[in-house]
Structure formats: C-alpha cells, structure tokens
Amino acid sequence: MLRRLVTTNIKRQNIYLNNGIKISEIEATKSIFLNNNNNKYNNININSPLYSFSVTRNRYDENKNKENENDEKKKLKLYDDSKKCKIVVVTSGKGGVGKTTTAANIGYGLATHGKKTCLIDFDVGLRNLDIHLGMERRIIYDFINVINKECTLRQALVRDKKVSDLYLLAASQTKDKTALTEEGVEEILNELVESDFDYVICDSPAGIESGAFHALLYSDIAMICTNPELSSVRDSDKMIGFIDSNSKRALNNRDPVHQELIITRYNPERVEKEDMLSINDISEMLGLDCIGLIPECETILNSINFGRPVINQTDSNAGVAYSDLVERFLGNKDIPLKFTTAEKKSFFQRLMNKMK
C-alpha cells in the first residue's frame, strides 16, 4: 500500500499513546503517514529533545468503540437485576442425575401456576428435553437455527398443547456444542426477557464444557442436582465453584448467582443402611439448603416414555416431591420435605421380601 510523507507542526493537540495515556499541549514537529485509501492517521512520530513517541491514533478509537459496546451491553434488560424474568439453570457436574427430568418438571410446574416459562435445551447434539415434554415430533427449528439467524425466535419456540404458558426451545441434533456463542445466547435470552416471560429454565448438559458454560453464564438462579453418593456430590461441589467464578454476575461484579440444592433418586432405606449419603451430609458438604428431595420412583421412567412430566401424577411420590419443590421455589417455604424416612413395613411385607 502506497503512503506519502507530510510534515507539519502541532500545537495544543491531544494525542494518545498506545497504552491509552493522553498527552496534551505538545508542540513539536511530527511526521504523519497518511493512508492513500482512507486518508486517516496511522502512525505519528514525534521528535523532541525530551520525547520520542510512536503514537497510534487508531488504537485509541478502537478502545473507545469497545467501551461503547460494553456500555450498550450493560443497557440490555438481561443485565437488569430488577427485571421480572429470572434465568434459572439446572445443572450438575455428573451425568445421569436427573437434570433434564428436573428441568422439565420445574418448568411444567411453574407454567401450571400461571408463570410464563421457556425451557431451553443446551445439550446440543444430544437433546432429550423434547421427549420429556412429548414434543419430539413438533420440532421444526432449534436453538442453533436461531443463533445462526436461519429463523426467528418465535418460529423456533414450541408451545405446549395443554399448558399455554409453557414453551420449549429445543437443541439441535445435527450440530455440536461449538455452535454455541456468547453473543448468540445473550441475544436470545435478552429477547425472551423482553418478551414478558417470567422464567427461562436452562437445561444444562453434564460436565464443564461449552454447553454447560453457556447454560450457566447468564443465570440468576442455579439449581444444583445431585444423587446421594460421593462422586456425584463431589462433582456438584466443583460446579458450585465454577458458577461462583465464571457467571456473568461474577465477571461483572454483581450479586452472586443464588444457588439451591436438589437431591434426586433418594432412598431412605439405603440411607439407614449407610449405603447412601443423608440429606444433612450432602447439605453440609455443599453448603446449600435442600429445596427439593426427589425419591427413587418407577413412575419417573413411565412418565418419560409417555412424554408427560411426572409432576402431573398426584399418586406418585416423585410427582408430589416435584410439586412441593415448585411451591418452595415460588416462596412457600413452610412445606416440609417428604420421603425422608423409610416406610415401616408390615409383617407380611417383610415376609414377602424375604421370599423374593
């Protein structure tokens, strides 16, 4: 690229160094290299008995542009702590602890209470949330389609047929988690916040990778799911620390993410035999109070197969437990935890167990 040399004098002009420091009222001879294409300053060499600077004006302009972008992001409703809509992530370090089942039932329960709720599946490539809700045949567009601007958010949202306040944004089955971007997730969540939703429930994949990171990044509340066994609790403890240090709330020096504990697949009989950790053991290890205790129950598997959240089944222990969890989440803290102790079996029940 051709450049030409122009020599001029400078008086009382503000100049900026590479590190952003401003030098004002310098009188010196300078050599300005002008770009023939856009006629903008590129480099300024100032020669003086006291100073010898290499100044890049474009660097200062770039820094100002970044500051303006950050200021615009701070204006997003997503970052407003007083916003009506709360971003909730259901997460755990370990796989197979019931995160998707829990997310589906919490979302369904909130919607039945008149709370406009959107469930988002962040497990790109391995989606299952649509199956739990019986929507697997109704997915036309997915999360990644919206990020890539291949459709609008409204086109991708699937509304539940029975509960009008429940919506699903499904994950893609053909992409991998590298398709997720901070900017894309931020834009979608901000649009949901502005669309008068009360809750956005983010179903996180297992582990600490791109899907889990993006699911928790913008969260206001984190539901930590764990099984009552040591490896699951240890992974949950690591996830708690990961949220504390990597969420946008932590990065922007805002109030921390509020975290709640949910214990799934709890079996009080095995706890009495010391084959499982107790509620108190888990709460003490993680430093969180338990908001939901979900017993091990066969009806959960049946409900998944039929695409109906188990919270609908009032005769199911798991359904009652999830219903109580939603009530506590909405503020009714007086509801005690159920299924904490083993049922006393009759003589005939004990006899039948021995005969099996």
Coordinates of all heavy atoms in Angstrom, one line a residue, residues 323-355:
S323 N -43.9 -31.3 42.9 CA -44.9 -30.3 43.1 C -44.5 -29.5 44.3 O -44.7 -28.2 44.3 CB -46.3 -31.0 43.3 OG -47.3 -30.0 43.6
D324 N -44.1 -30.1 45.4 CA -43.6 -29.4 46.6 C -42.4 -28.5 46.3 O -42.3 -27.4 46.8 CB -43.3 -30.4 47.7 CG -44.5 -31.1 48.3 OD1 -45.6 -30.7 48.0 OD2 -44.3 -32.1 49.1
L325 N -41.5 -29.0 45.5 CA -40.3 -28.3 45.1 C -40.7 -27.0 44.4 O -40.2 -25.9 44.7 CB -39.4 -29.1 44.1 CG -38.0 -28.6 43.8 CD1 -37.2 -29.8 43.2 CD2 -38.0 -27.5 42.8
V326 N -41.6 -27.0 43.5 CA -42.1 -25.8 42.8 C -42.7 -24.8 43.8 O -42.5 -23.6 43.7 CB -43.1 -26.2 41.6 CG1 -43.7 -24.9 41.0 CG2 -42.4 -27.0 40.6
E327 N -43.5 -25.3 44.7 CA -44.2 -24.5 45.7 C -43.1 -23.8 46.5 O -43.2 -22.6 46.8 CB -45.1 -25.3 46.6 CG -46.3 -25.8 45.9 CD -47.4 -24.8 45.7 OE1 -47.2 -23.7 46.3 OE2 -48.3 -25.0 45.0
R328 N -42.1 -24.5 47.0 CA -41.0 -23.9 47.7 C -40.2 -22.8 46.9 O -39.9 -21.8 47.4 CB -40.0 -24.9 48.3 CG -40.6 -25.9 49.3 CD -39.5 -26.7 49.9 NE -40.1 -28.0 50.5 CZ -40.2 -29.1 49.8 NH1 -39.6 -29.2 48.6 NH2 -40.8 -30.1 50.4
F329 N -40.0 -23.1 45.7 CA -39.3 -22.2 44.8 C -40.1 -20.9 44.6 O -39.5 -19.8 44.5 CB -39.1 -22.9 43.4 CG -38.4 -22.0 42.4 CD1 -37.0 -21.8 42.5 CD2 -39.1 -21.4 41.4 CE1 -36.3 -21.0 41.6 CE2 -38.4 -20.6 40.4 CZ -37.0 -20.4 40.6
L330 N -41.4 -21.0 44.6 CA -42.2 -19.8 44.4 C -42.4 -19.1 45.8 O -43.1 -18.1 45.8 CB -43.6 -20.2 43.9 CG -43.6 -20.7 42.4 CD1 -44.9 -21.2 42.0 CD2 -43.1 -19.5 41.5
G331 N -41.8 -19.6 46.8 CA -41.9 -18.8 48.1 C -42.5 -19.5 49.3 O -42.4 -18.9 50.4
N332 N -43.2 -20.6 49.1 CA -43.8 -21.3 50.2 C -42.8 -22.2 50.9 O -42.8 -23.4 50.6 CB -45.1 -22.1 49.7 CG -45.9 -22.6 50.8 OD1 -45.6 -22.4 52.0 ND2 -47.1 -23.1 50.5
K333 N -42.1 -21.6 51.8 CA -41.0 -22.4 52.5 C -41.5 -23.2 53.6 O -40.7 -24.0 54.2 CB -39.9 -21.4 53.0 CG -39.3 -20.5 51.9 CD -38.5 -21.3 50.9 CE -37.8 -20.3 49.9 NZ -37.0 -21.1 48.9
D334 N -42.8 -23.1 53.9 CA -43.4 -23.9 55.1 C -43.6 -25.3 54.7 O -43.9 -26.1 55.6 CB -44.7 -23.2 55.5 CG -44.4 -21.8 56.1 OD1 -43.3 -21.6 56.6 OD2 -45.3 -21.0 56.0
I335 N -43.6 -25.7 53.5 CA -43.8 -27.1 53.1 C -42.6 -27.9 53.5 O -41.5 -27.7 53.0 CB -44.1 -27.2 51.6 CG1 -45.3 -26.4 51.2 CG2 -44.3 -28.7 51.2 CD1 -45.6 -26.4 49.7
P336 N -42.8 -28.9 54.3 CA -41.6 -29.8 54.8 C -41.2 -30.8 53.7 O -42.0 -31.1 52.8 CB -42.2 -30.5 56.0 CG -43.7 -30.6 55.7 CD -44.0 -29.3 55.0
L337 N -40.0 -31.2 53.8 CA -39.5 -32.3 52.9 C -40.2 -33.6 53.2 O -40.3 -34.0 54.4 CB -38.0 -32.4 53.0 CG -37.1 -31.3 52.5 CD1 -35.7 -31.5 52.8 CD2 -37.3 -31.0 51.0
K338 N -40.7 -34.3 52.2 CA -41.3 -35.6 52.4 C -40.4 -36.7 52.0 O -39.3 -36.4 51.3 CB -42.6 -35.7 51.6 CG -43.7 -34.7 52.0 CD -45.0 -34.9 51.2 CE -46.1 -34.0 51.6 NZ -45.8 -32.6 51.1
F339 N -40.7 -37.9 52.3 CA -39.9 -39.1 51.9 C -38.5 -39.1 52.4 O -37.6 -39.6 51.8 CB -39.9 -39.2 50.4 CG -41.3 -39.0 49.8 CD1 -41.5 -37.8 49.0 CD2 -42.4 -39.8 50.0 CE1 -42.7 -37.6 48.4 CE2 -43.6 -39.6 49.4 CZ -43.8 -38.4 48.6
T340 N -38.4 -38.6 53.7 CA -37.0 -38.5 54.3 C -36.7 -39.8 55.1 O -35.6 -40.0 55.4 CB -36.9 -37.3 55.2 OG1 -37.9 -37.3 56.2 CG2 -37.1 -36.0 54.4
T341 N -37.7 -40.5 55.5 CA -37.6 -41.7 56.3 C -38.2 -42.9 55.6 O -39.1 -42.8 54.8 CB -38.2 -41.5 57.7 OG1 -39.6 -41.2 57.6 CG2 -37.5 -40.4 58.5
A342 N -37.7 -44.1 56.0 CA -38.1 -45.3 55.3 C -39.5 -45.7 55.9 O -39.8 -45.4 57.1 CB -37.2 -46.4 55.6
E343 N -40.4 -46.2 55.0 CA -41.7 -46.6 55.5 C -41.6 -47.9 56.3 O -40.8 -48.8 56.0 CB -42.6 -46.9 54.2 CG -42.9 -45.6 53.4 CD -43.8 -46.0 52.3 OE1 -44.3 -47.1 52.2 OE2 -44.1 -45.1 51.5
K344 N -42.4 -47.9 57.4 CA -42.4 -49.1 58.2 C -43.2 -50.2 57.5 O -44.4 -49.9 57.2 CB -43.0 -48.8 59.6 CG -42.1 -47.8 60.4 CD -42.7 -47.6 61.8 CE -41.7 -46.7 62.6 NZ -42.3 -46.4 63.9
K345 N -42.7 -51.3 57.3 CA -43.4 -52.4 56.6 C -44.0 -53.3 57.6 O -43.5 -53.6 58.7 CB -42.4 -53.2 55.7 CG -41.8 -52.3 54.6 CD -40.9 -53.1 53.7 CE -40.3 -52.3 52.5 NZ -39.4 -53.1 51.7
S346 N -45.1 -53.9 57.1 CA -45.9 -54.8 58.0 C -45.2 -56.2 58.0 O -44.2 -56.4 57.2 CB -47.3 -55.0 57.4 OG -47.3 -55.6 56.1
F347 N -45.6 -57.0 58.8 CA -45.1 -58.4 58.9 C -45.1 -59.1 57.6 O -44.2 -59.7 57.1 CB -45.8 -59.2 60.0 CG -45.4 -60.6 60.0 CD1 -44.2 -61.1 60.6 CD2 -46.3 -61.6 59.5 CE1 -43.8 -62.4 60.6 CE2 -45.9 -62.9 59.5 CZ -44.7 -63.3 60.0
F348 N -46.3 -59.0 56.9 CA -46.5 -59.7 55.6 C -45.6 -59.1 54.5 O -45.1 -59.9 53.7 CB -47.9 -59.7 55.2 CG -48.8 -60.5 56.1 CD1 -49.7 -59.8 57.0 CD2 -48.9 -61.9 56.0 CE1 -50.5 -60.6 57.9 CE2 -49.7 -62.6 56.9 CZ -50.5 -62.0 57.8
Q349 N -45.4 -57.8 54.6 CA -44.5 -57.2 53.6 C -43.0 -57.7 53.8 O -42.3 -57.9 52.8 CB -44.6 -55.7 53.7 CG -45.9 -55.1 53.1 CD -45.9 -53.6 53.3 OE1 -45.5 -53.1 54.4 NE2 -46.5 -52.9 52.4
R350 N -42.6 -57.7 55.0 CA -41.3 -58.2 55.3 C -41.1 -59.7 54.9 O -40.1 -60.1 54.4 CB -40.9 -58.0 56.8 CG -40.8 -56.6 57.2 CD -40.1 -56.5 58.5 NE -40.8 -57.2 59.6 CZ -41.8 -56.7 60.4 NH1 -42.2 -55.4 60.2 NH2 -42.4 -57.4 61.3
L351 N -42.2 -60.5 55.1 CA -42.2 -61.9 54.8 C -42.1 -62.1 53.2 O -41.3 -62.9 52.7 CB -43.4 -62.6 55.3 CG -43.5 -64.1 55.1 CD1 -42.4 -64.8 55.8 CD2 -44.9 -64.6 55.5
M352 N -42.8 -61.2 52.5 CA -42.8 -61.3 51.1 C -41.5 -60.9 50.5 O -41.0 -61.5 49.5 CB -43.9 -60.4 50.5 CG -45.3 -60.9 50.7 SD -45.7 -62.5 50.0 CE -45.6 -62.0 48.2
N353 N -40.8 -59.9 51.1 CA -39.5 -59.5 50.7 C -38.5 -60.6 50.9 O -37.6 -60.8 50.0 CB -39.0 -58.3 51.4 CG -39.8 -57.0 51.0 OD1 -40.3 -57.0 49.9 ND2 -39.9 -56.0 51.8
K354 N -38.6 -61.4 52.0 CA -37.7 -62.5 52.2 C -37.9 -63.6 51.2 O -37.0 -64.4 50.9 CB -37.9 -63.0 53.6 CG -37.3 -62.0 54.7 CD -37.5 -62.6 56.1 CE -37.0 -61.6 57.1 NZ -37.2 -62.2 58.5
M355 N -39.1 -63.8 50.8 CA -39.5 -64.9 49.8 C -39.0 -64.6 48.4 O -38.9 -65.5 47.6 CB -41.0 -65.2 49.9 CG -41.5 -65.7 51.2 SD -43.3 -65.9 51.2 CE -43.5 -67.1 49.9

